Amino acid sequence: MSRFLRKSVFHLQPSKPTCFGPSLRQAHRKAQKQPPKPPPPPTPPKPPKKAEKLTAPHGETWEDQYSWMSKLDDKVAMRHMDVYMEQEEKYTEAVLSETHNLQSKLQSEIASRLPYDLSSPPFRWGPWLYYRRVEEGKQFPVLCRRLASLNEEFISNKSPFSGFDFTSGKRIEQKLIDYNLEAERFGGYAFEELCEVSPDHRYIAYTMYDKDNDFFKLSVRDLITGSLCDKPQADWVSNVAWAKNVQSLFYVVTDHYKRPCKLYCSMLGSNDDDVLLLEEPKENVYVSIRHTKDFHFVTVYIFSTTGSKVFLIDSANPLSGMTLVWDGEPFVHCVVEHHGGYLYLFTDAAREGQPVDSHYLLRSPVDIAPDHRVWETVFVDDPDMVIVDVDFSDTHLVLILREGQTLRLGAVPLPLPNQKEAVRLVEHNPRFLPLPKHICEILPGPNYDFNSSTVRFTVSSPLMPDAVVDYDLLSGKWNIIQQQNLLHERTRILYGKASTSYDDKSPRSIYFDPENDKPTNDENIWNDLSEFYACEQHNVCSHDGVMIPLTVVYAPRNKTGNQNPALLHGHGAYGELLDKRWRSELKSLLDRGWLIAYADVRGGGGRGKKWHRDGRRSMKLNSIQDFLCCGKFMVEENIVHENKLAAWGYSAGGLLVASAINACPELFRAAVLKVPFLDPTTTLMRPILPLTPVDYEEFGYPFDIEDFEAMQKYSPYNNIRNDLVYPSVLITSCFSTRFGVWEAAKWAARVRERTIYDPARPILLNLTTEIVEENRYLKSKELALETAFLLKMMES
């Protein structure tokens, strides 16, 4: 070999040409083969077009070439839809094929942070501890209970395992509902909507989703025998409530458009037919029920486009009729409770014809004639301390309050003084639970026990996994009973009884001195992640001068000036709070240098009813402008790189993000739309799946010309820009959602048709199943796909 090389080098000298030269050059060229040309980018599918002219009752007309996608009763159209969905699936797979390894890695990361089971901490009601747990190898949980008097040392649903005491050789746990067996009743699918135990703990009423028939079926189980009762067994059930005498169960049935319209009373143990107490045949009337926490009354709520009414049924005499206790404006929020001979009404109804911006509390003696009833205001309105929610126990009134942008949890003793005039809340000397910074939501837990001095709440923060807290109203002591410990990438079980010692493996109670609200130690009692992640609050000036709250979460160690990518979340609908809770799947982005931002745009909750009103119906454009101003603020203030801003929206939030893309496509590099609402004009005029009055109140009534014209201005499907480059978009949807996959498919097809095609910025459609939330594997897989999409599109 070496001699050949020396000879080759000698003969390749320029002064001595040789015939060997050309052949060696050819060999060299062959050795330096050109890399193969990359395959052409995948081509997006093109669905068939079939122009259809649509006409509104007021004469407005428009044309839709893809309306055939929503014709579920047209077999030919659905065969075309099946073919088209298969093409979309293959296109998405082809575009993201380079991310398969990344998706696997992300799926492992995300799955490791998801709770390993669906077990819940036990809550005490009367003599029993109720809880759910998951048995090894089973897909669905089991609802169980055990006597609290025999289980004072009950710390975890895993100790003793399955409720068996190996010392005594006795089983101390009772299984109430095994949802794995329920899945066998309902075709392998177990989804429960309602579950109510009777006040004597003898029966349990629950509704399970019948997937084949698309309704919820009511069943009542005898907890002594374990068998199902012969009656009631009703279909299309939306509400249930027990009477105090236990033998009576009230339930509400919907029509086939899922409008709750009939109220029944069933007498357990009787052979008589269930009694129809109320029927509302009008299309715009909706019925719901609940029992007061002391079970003295069942409250019946009737909402319509003309007004709202609340009736009482005496729980001790369920067939004695209904008594009207309140009559108000259409579709207001109201809840009636009973305590110490008084009815308490928590509502946001207008006062003296003037709309209000927040909820307030009223009360009235229960024993008073309907035509003489007067509701008295309990607390003086205080703009600096707004009541968000209330809960009652026998001894205390518990309040969730908002001071500016800060949420607080307080309690005042009951009964309240018999004062004619309303007083300020502070005059009742409320005791407040000390909370960490950046709390974004406080949700009441299953506080069924009216006589208990302990209430349960879930506290959420962008920098802290949700903490389930038990708060003793008498002593002021509280303890965290469940919270995920992400610092160790596993779930710490924190259930039940107090523990004087603490380490990473043992449960604990955190006691506070109610006099000074100081913890007894300096530990990170809330298990927050502020050592690793930071949270910033900004106020962004919108187009009309209104200041919009913007929250930004990031990992300081990964922040590099203005070079970081960011994901901006928005919702802005129904007056609902924007979900800013810590979400473990976003940790994969945070740890890769991403910023996670939340824009609290108008139309959402958190700043009163006016905030909601100013972002709905004809004012919906405010929501979109608010979102755009938050995105532009992040770029202009060097919070995010100008070409690395992505957006994320769910359901009505998908409408917000898609509309923002239409208005300013160059602002965003990528977007994720989850089961988005993209064609409000058609969907609200010709609903394929049942909608509620809330949907029309939120987005407008398209049969009204003014609402229709306002809808046309913000509708994502009707305002796609021509001849511009759009950002990359991943749309996930399924057939069973209210805003079905046809909306996503129509929008994707029209965007590709009208905008400038850029293979580096694809429009992708991902069809999911409706059981993703119930399946750990599917959930982590879908989240990994979304995350991989964002990472790839930001790097391309």
Side-chain angles (χ1 to χ4, degrees):
M1 185 69 171
S2 60
R3 286 190 328 196
F4 174 79
L5 286 175
R6 284 197 298 271
K7 185 176 180 181
S8 299
V9 172
F10 176 78
H11 285 289
L12 282 173
Q13 291 178 3
S15 57
K16 297 184 178 180
T18 173
C19 62
F20 288 106
S23 62
L24 287 172
R25 284 196 296 272
Q26 292 171 1
H28 180 71
R29 283 196 296 270
K30 289 181 180 180
Q32 299 292 323
K33 287 184 178 179
Q34 295 295 322
K37 291 182 179 180
T43 303
K46 293 184 178 181
K49 295 180 182 180
K50 184 180 178 181
E52 180 178 354
K53 190 175 183 179
L54 305 177
T55 305
H58 39 69
E60 296 291 325
T61 62
W62 69 100
E63 191 175 88
D64 188 353
Q65 294 178 318
Y66 301 110
S67 63
W68 63 266
M69 294 182 180
S70 62
K71 299 185 181 301
L72 304 185
D73 55 350
D74 186 330
K75 294 182 179 180
V76 175
M78 288 301 97
R79 281 199 293 270
H80 283 299
M81 194 63 171
D82 287 340
V83 173
Y84 174 48
M85 286 294 99
E86 186 176 349
Q87 293 173 347
E88 288 285 3
E89 183 179 5
K90 291 180 179 178
Y91 176 60
T92 299
E93 289 180 357
V95 171
L96 298 179
S97 60
E98 297 178 358
T99 69
H100 284 168
N101 291 338
L102 175 60
Q103 287 184 51
S104 297
K105 177 177 174 58
L106 289 168
Q107 187 173 356
S108 297
E109 290 179 16
I110 293 170
S112 69
R113 303 186 197 112
L114 294 177
Y116 279 92
D117 54 41
L118 301 177
S119 303
S120 64
F123 66 88
R124 182 166 182 167
W125 181 15
W128 294 96
L129 292 169
Y130 290 88
Y131 55 96
R132 296 173 191 263
R133 64 175 179 80
V134 174
E135 296 180 327
E136 188 174 356
K138 299 291 183 68
Q139 181 178 357
F140 300 103
V142 180
L143 177 62
C144 305
R145 72 179 180 186
R146 59 180 71 184
L147 285 171
S149 60
L150 302 178
N151 293 271
E152 292 183 358
E153 299 298 322
F154 182 42
I155 294 174
S156 161
N157 55 33
K158 297 179 180 178
S159 175
F161 178 75
S162 296
F164 188 83
D165 186 348
F166 290 95
T167 302
S168 64
K170 296 181 179 179
R171 182 170 295 281
I172 56 177
E173 175 186 84
Q174 180 185 3
K175 288 185 180 180
L176 307 183
I177 302 177
D178 187 337
Y179 295 97
N180 298 284
L181 298 180
E182 294 295 324
E184 295 179 7
R185 290 177 61 200
F186 295 98
Y189 187 67
F191 178 71
E192 175 191 83
E193 185 178 54
L194 304 171
C195 184
E196 296 288 341
V197 177
S198 62
D200 68 345
H201 306 273
R202 167 71 186 271
Y203 299 98
I204 186 168
Y206 60 103
T207 60
M208 301 295 299
Y209 182 60
D210 188 325
K211 185 178 178 182
D212 293 335
N213 297 298
D214 191 28
F215 58 62
F216 283 92
K217 184 178 182 64
L218 171 65
S219 299
V220 177
R221 190 175 295 274
D222 188 326
L223 299 183
I224 294 179
T225 65
S227 59
L228 290 175
C229 299
D230 294 334
K231 56 170 293 194
Q233 292 192 25
D235 300 331
W236 301 90
V237 173
S238 62
N239 264 145
V240 297
W242 286 101
K244 193 172 185 177
N245 66 6
V246 180
Q247 298 303 313
S248 305
L249 177 68
F250 298 88
Y251 62 92
V252 175
V253 171
T254 73
D255 59 19
H256 285 250
Y257 295 100
K258 299 186 179 180
R259 179 182 65 89
C261 58
K262 295 181 181 180
L263 171 61
Y264 289 90
C265 180
S266 178
M267 299 296 182
L268 274 68
S270 169
N271 294 324
D272 297 337
D273 293 337
D274 296 347
V275 180
L276 178 62
L277 301 179
L278 174 69
E279 182 174 8
E280 292 289 352
K282 295 182 180 179
E283 294 181 358
N284 60 353
V285 182
Y286 296 75
V287 179
S288 67
I289 58 173
R290 65 185 297 272
H291 62 78
T292 57
K293 287 193 68 175
D294 60 3
F295 284 97
H296 278 74
F297 300 97
V298 171
T299 52
V300 182
Y301 302 87
I302 300 177
F303 302 100
S304 73
T305 54
T306 58
S308 303
K309 295 181 180 181
V310 181
F311 295 86
L312 283 189
I313 297 178
D314 185 351
S315 189
N317 191 5
L319 299 181
S320 60
M322 303 190 305
T323 302
L324 178 67
V325 295
W326 187 76
D327 191 351
E329 61 190 279
F331 297 116
V332 297
H333 178 257
C334 57
V335 177
V336 172
E337 268 297 347
H338 174 254
H339 186 280
Y342 280 90
L343 295 177
Y344 286 85
L345 173 66
F346 185 61
T347 183
D348 59 0
R351 282 179 162 175
E352 299 179 355
Q354 297 298 315
V356 299
D357 199 33
S358 58
H359 285 74
Y360 54 92
L361 190 64
L362 304 173
R363 74 173 178 177
S364 176
V366 65
D367 295 326
I368 192 169
D371 54 345
H372 289 87
R373 184 172 300 282
V374 176
W375 290 94
E376 301 172 349
T377 302
V378 176
F379 301 118
V380 173
D381 290 341
D382 185 351
D384 296 326
M385 190 173 287
V386 177
I387 302 176
V388 177
D389 203 355
V390 297
D391 198 0
F392 283 83
S393 74
D394 186 36
T395 58
H396 284 80
L397 169 63
V398 185
L399 304 111
I400 300 175
L401 306 164
R402 186 178 71 247
E403 291 184 275
Q405 295 188 40
T406 303
L407 289 174
R408 303 193 71 183
L409 178 63
V412 297
L414 290 175
L416 297 175
N418 292 322
Q419 297 172 315
K420 293 292 184 181
E421 299 294 329
V423 299
R424 297 186 67 199
L425 175 61
V426 293
E427 296 182 30
H428 290 278
N429 299 315
R431 172 186 285 163
F432 291 100
L433 175 72
L435 296 171
K437 295 180 180 179
H438 308 302
I439 292 299
C440 63
E441 192 172 12
I442 303 174
L443 291 176
N447 299 313
Y448 293 112
D449 198 337
F450 180 72
N451 298 308
S452 173
S453 64
T454 300
V455 291
R456 178 167 294 176
F457 289 87
T458 298
V459 179
S460 302
S461 162
L463 291 183
M464 180 188 76
D466 285 358
V468 182
V469 178
D470 274 357
Y471 182 26
D472 190 322
L473 300 170
L474 296 178
S475 67
K477 297 177 181 178
W478 60 277
N479 59 323
I480 301 173
I481 60 167
Q482 187 185 47
Q483 189 179 30
Q484 190 176 13
N485 185 353
L486 286 174
L487 301 182
H488 297 277
E489 298 286 0
R490 60 181 175 80
T491 299
R492 180 196 300 159
I493 303 296
L494 302 175
Y495 293 150
K497 186 174 164 48
S499 174
T500 55
S501 62
Y502 167 72
D503 58 44
D504 282 337
K505 297 181 180 179
S506 65
R508 59 171 175 169
S509 287
I510 306 300
Y511 290 109
F512 268 69
D513 181 354
E515 298 299 325
N516 56 23
D517 287 346
K518 293 290 177 78
T520 57
N521 53 59
D522 295 326
E523 296 182 49
N524 178 11
I525 56 171
W526 286 100
N527 190 26
D528 68 48
L529 306 171
S530 55
E531 182 181 351
F532 305 96
Y533 305 101
C535 181
E536 294 180 356
Q537 305 283 349
H538 302 274
N539 286 308
V540 179
C541 184
S542 192
H543 67 107
D544 54 358
V546 174
M547 305 306 290
I548 311 302
L550 175 67
T551 303
V552 181
V553 180
Y554 61 93
R557 66 184 183 279
N558 294 328
K559 201 168 187 303
T560 56
N562 66 340
Q563 299 302 307
N564 297 72
L567 183 63
L568 180 62
H569 291 72
H571 188 253
Y574 302 110
E576 295 176 354
L577 285 175
L578 176 63
D579 186 2
K580 295 183 287 187
R581 298 174 302 161
W582 172 267
R583 289 163 50 193
S584 59
E585 64 267 22
L586 294 178
K587 187 174 185 295
S588 294
L589 288 175
L590 288 169
D591 291 347
R592 286 171 171 82
W594 281 61
L595 286 69
I596 308 299
Y598 303 91
D600 276 306
V601 303
R602 281 171 284 185
R607 288 206 164 185
K609 287 189 70 176
K610 187 177 185 304
W611 193 261
H612 174 215
R613 289 194 300 267
D614 288 349
R616 68 184 182 97
R617 299 190 78 156
S618 61
M619 309 287 281
K620 192 64 188 172
L621 286 172
N622 281 338
S623 298
I624 299 160
Q625 289 295 330
D626 293 348
F627 192 76
L628 287 170
C629 288
C630 286
K632 292 174 181 178
F633 173 86
M634 294 180 67
V635 173
E636 293 167 358
E637 295 298 318
N638 292 325
I639 297 174
V640 60
H641 188 281
E642 63 179 354
N643 195 32
K644 291 186 177 181
L645 178 63
W648 190 95
Y650 171 79
S651 189
L655 180 148
L656 172 73
V657 173
S659 298
I661 290 173
N662 285 340
C664 191
E666 67 274 10
L667 179 62
F668 305 99
R669 182 67 175 270
V672 175
L673 309 179
K674 292 180 71 71
V675 291
F677 186 26
L678 298 172
D679 187 15
T681 306
T682 306
T683 296
L684 293 173
M685 186 168 290
R686 299 181 175 182
I688 298 167
L689 298 177
L691 300 176
T692 68
V694 176
D695 295 312
Y696 295 102
E697 285 294 307
E698 186 65 33
F699 301 106
Y701 193 60
F703 298 95
D704 178 89
I705 183 63
E706 292 183 3
D707 279 1
F708 178 84
E709 290 175 350
M711 217 175 289
Q712 290 286 80
K713 292 179 181 178
Y714 71 75
S715 169
Y717 187 62
N718 296 100
N719 291 281
I720 296 168
R721 306 278 291 276
N722 294 324
D723 302 324
L724 290 178
V725 177
Y726 264 41
S728 310
V729 182
L730 174 65
I731 318 167
T732 64
S733 190
C734 65
F735 278 97
S736 64
T737 57
R738 283 191 303 162
F739 311 130
V741 70
W742 50 88
E743 289 205 8
K746 288 169 58 176
W747 187 83
R750 182 173 281 189
V751 168
R752 292 171 184 152
E753 173 190 333
R754 295 188 176 183
T755 61
I756 297 175
Y757 172 64
D758 182 355
R761 298 194 175 193
I763 306 296
L764 305 178
L765 183 57
N766 180 45
L767 192 64
T768 64
T769 65
E770 63 270 44
I771 60 172
V772 166
E773 292 300 320
E774 304 295 325
N775 188 297
R776 178 188 180 85
Y777 170 78
L778 292 177
K779 183 176 182 179
S780 59
K781 184 178 181 181
E782 181 183 337
L783 294 171
L785 177 70
E786 292 177 18
T787 307
F789 164 79
L790 290 170
L791 292 171
K792 174 180 172 59
M793 295 304 131
M794 207 58 70
E795 294 172 357
S796 59

